[in-house]
Amino acid sequence: METLSRRALNRATLERQLLLGRAKMSALDAVAHLAGLQAQAPFPPYYALWTRLQGFQPAELASLLENRQVVRIALMRGTVHLVTAADALAWRPVVQVLYDRDLKTNTQHAGALAGLDHDVVVKAARELLAESPLSSTKLGTELAQRWDVPAASLTHLARARLPLVQVPPRAIWGKAGQTTYACLDEWVDAPLSPPSPSSLIARYLRAFGPATVADVQAWAGITRLGEVAASMDLRRYRDPDGRELIDLPELTIPDEDVPAPPGLLGPFDQMILSYADRTRVISDEYRKRVITQNGLVKGTLLAGGTVRGFWELRKDRKAAVVELSPFEKLPKKDLAALESAAGQLLKWAEPGAETREVRVHPPE
């Protein structure tokens, strides 16, 4: 069994994540290719596509949301993702076990929900949402008129048992909108698919592989995928620590010496969140500096194929500034490329700013 170096794994990841060079691809095709985009906050998916696609403009993704070709929905790990409507219909049933488990173990809501007939509450929630999309607060308030249970707990039950999408104007570039829900199948006028864990594994590998089963499970938030992977026709490698890696047999590994261009990853970028062992793209030391204690994930600097710092966008009504904070001294050409990328990001993200500036902080 072939052993892949950490550098080879890094280059494979960068290639599949469209980070060895901007791709000529539509936003819809990219969202599908990347197995969705992290979307805990409304706008990180726009940054994820900007750094990966040639000529990407926010209106393209906004239009896909408004036309219901892509949706924002809690999926893998219980986290909101932006995915194609087709993938949402296919994947939500696969990860339902995650939400069923949470209903039994959630310390905030499980006790309040224990005495309820969940099926009856869920039926009522679906009927309410069929009439009109409702905000999280409104949905809970309506349900609380029928059950003497905290509204937040009733909303939690509806979110766990129903495939709820967050509808526009939430996450439309340049607009603000509170979280408002509709049922996925009614929103896109299509039924959910029978659960297929093997299809989910295959899509993960196409976007993130080669990877261990533990990596797949860390991304999906569900367990017992090793049994599924064992039944699939997969190529197998070893990583530098001797762990088995799985991959789709038709996919290849780029040469480990292929250049990795410097670039900016947006906040919450999925590349640094989708593995049990993330050292192929970020060291454990740097990960602690990028991901805050309350779970926020900063925009990051890629140099030499791995995360070497973070960036932040600061703005007021007239000025926009991107601050680059490398963790170590970078080669001059890499730092110059990152400064150039930050300037391009400012023009793209803040076209109306009267002044734009890139600042570089020395490594601490």
Side-chain angles (χ1 to χ4, degrees):
M1 189 181 297
E2 182 182 357
T3 297
L4 299 179
S5 68
R6 203 166 305 279
R7 185 181 173 96
L9 284 175
N10 171 267
R11 295 305 192 262
T13 298
L14 294 176
E15 180 181 65
R16 296 185 195 185
Q17 282 290 302
L18 309 180
L19 291 168
L20 288 181
R22 281 192 165 98
K24 295 180 179 179
M25 187 181 292
S26 72
L28 181 62
D29 288 344
V31 172
H33 172 86
L34 295 164
L37 301 171
Q38 295 282 139
Q40 295 100 311
F43 302 121
Y46 292 87
Y47 290 92
L49 294 178
W50 172 80
T51 203
R52 290 169 166 85
L53 302 182
Q54 291 185 18
F56 170 72
Q57 293 298 323
E60 184 181 1
L61 182 56
S63 177
L64 294 174
L65 279 163
E66 292 171 331
N67 294 334
R68 309 185 187 190
Q69 293 175 273
V70 302
V71 296
R72 301 181 75 247
I73 181 172
L75 284 174
M76 290 71 72
R77 306 185 306 286
T79 301
V80 177
H81 283 71
L82 185 146
V83 296
T84 67
D87 284 341
L89 293 165
W91 296 350
R92 187 59 169 81
V94 181
V95 299
Q96 180 60 43
V97 292
L98 171 67
Y99 298 92
D100 293 340
R101 183 171 67 242
D102 178 72
L103 284 174
K104 298 176 181 178
T105 60
N106 187 284
T107 56
Q108 183 178 356
H109 300 294
L113 297 171
L116 292 181
D117 185 326
H118 289 191
D119 290 341
V120 174
V121 178
V122 169
K123 182 175 182 292
R126 179 178 277 279
E127 290 171 351
L128 286 167
L129 293 168
E131 296 175 6
S132 174
L134 295 174
S135 70
S136 179
T137 301
K138 181 66 173 176
L139 176 60
T141 300
E142 291 285 339
L143 293 171
Q145 292 180 12
R146 295 179 55 180
W147 288 276
D148 186 19
V149 172
S153 295
L154 293 167
T155 302
H156 182 80
L157 171 58
R159 280 198 302 252
R161 288 285 305 276
L162 292 172
L164 299 187
V165 294
Q166 298 183 9
V167 305
R170 182 74 170 169
I172 298 299
W173 186 263
K175 296 183 180 180
Q178 64 179 325
T179 301
T180 303
Y181 292 119
C183 285
L184 166 67
D185 46 332
E186 295 179 356
W187 183 250
V188 302
D189 193 24
L192 275 76
S193 306
S196 174
S198 60
S199 295
L200 188 67
I201 292 172
R203 290 294 300 284
Y204 172 85
L205 294 174
R206 193 168 295 279
F208 297 101
T212 64
V213 169
D215 290 326
V216 186
Q217 294 183 157
W219 170 76
I222 57 178
T223 57
R224 302 184 67 178
L225 293 180
E227 303 168 16
V228 181
S231 69
M232 297 173 64
D233 177 22
L234 298 172
R235 180 174 295 173
R236 287 170 165 79
Y237 302 96
R238 295 284 182 194
D239 74 3
D241 297 318
R243 292 171 294 198
E244 184 180 74
L245 300 163
I246 56 175
D247 201 13
L248 298 179
E250 68 270 21
L251 299 184
T252 58
I253 308 298
D255 191 293
E256 66 176 37
D257 292 326
V258 65
L264 307 181
L265 293 182
F268 293 101
D269 196 276
Q270 68 272 13
M271 192 179 75
I272 61 174
L273 296 173
S274 299
Y275 298 94
D277 180 358
R278 306 175 192 181
T279 55
R280 67 173 70 191
V281 291
I282 185 171
S283 70
D284 291 335
E285 175 191 356
Y286 288 172
R287 177 169 52 84
K288 295 173 183 176
R289 299 176 68 177
V290 165
I291 303 176
T292 67
Q293 289 186 343
N294 58 354
L296 298 179
V297 184
K298 299 176 181 178
T300 53
L301 312 179
L302 279 184
T306 61
V307 171
R308 303 293 182 88
F310 65 86
W311 64 268
E312 294 176 290
L313 173 60
R314 304 186 186 280
K315 56 184 178 179
D316 57 29
R317 296 194 329 192
K318 294 185 178 181
V321 178
V322 167
E323 298 184 355
L324 306 181
S325 299
F327 295 148
E328 60 191 72
K329 185 176 181 180
L330 298 176
K332 289 184 178 180
K333 64 178 183 178
D334 287 350
L335 190 58
L338 291 169
E339 288 186 70
S340 176
Q344 295 169 25
L345 176 68
L346 278 171
K347 292 179 182 178
W348 171 81
E350 299 296 331
E354 292 184 14
T355 62
R356 305 185 193 96
E357 181 184 356
V358 177
R359 299 173 186 164
V360 181
H361 298 288
E364 296 181 357

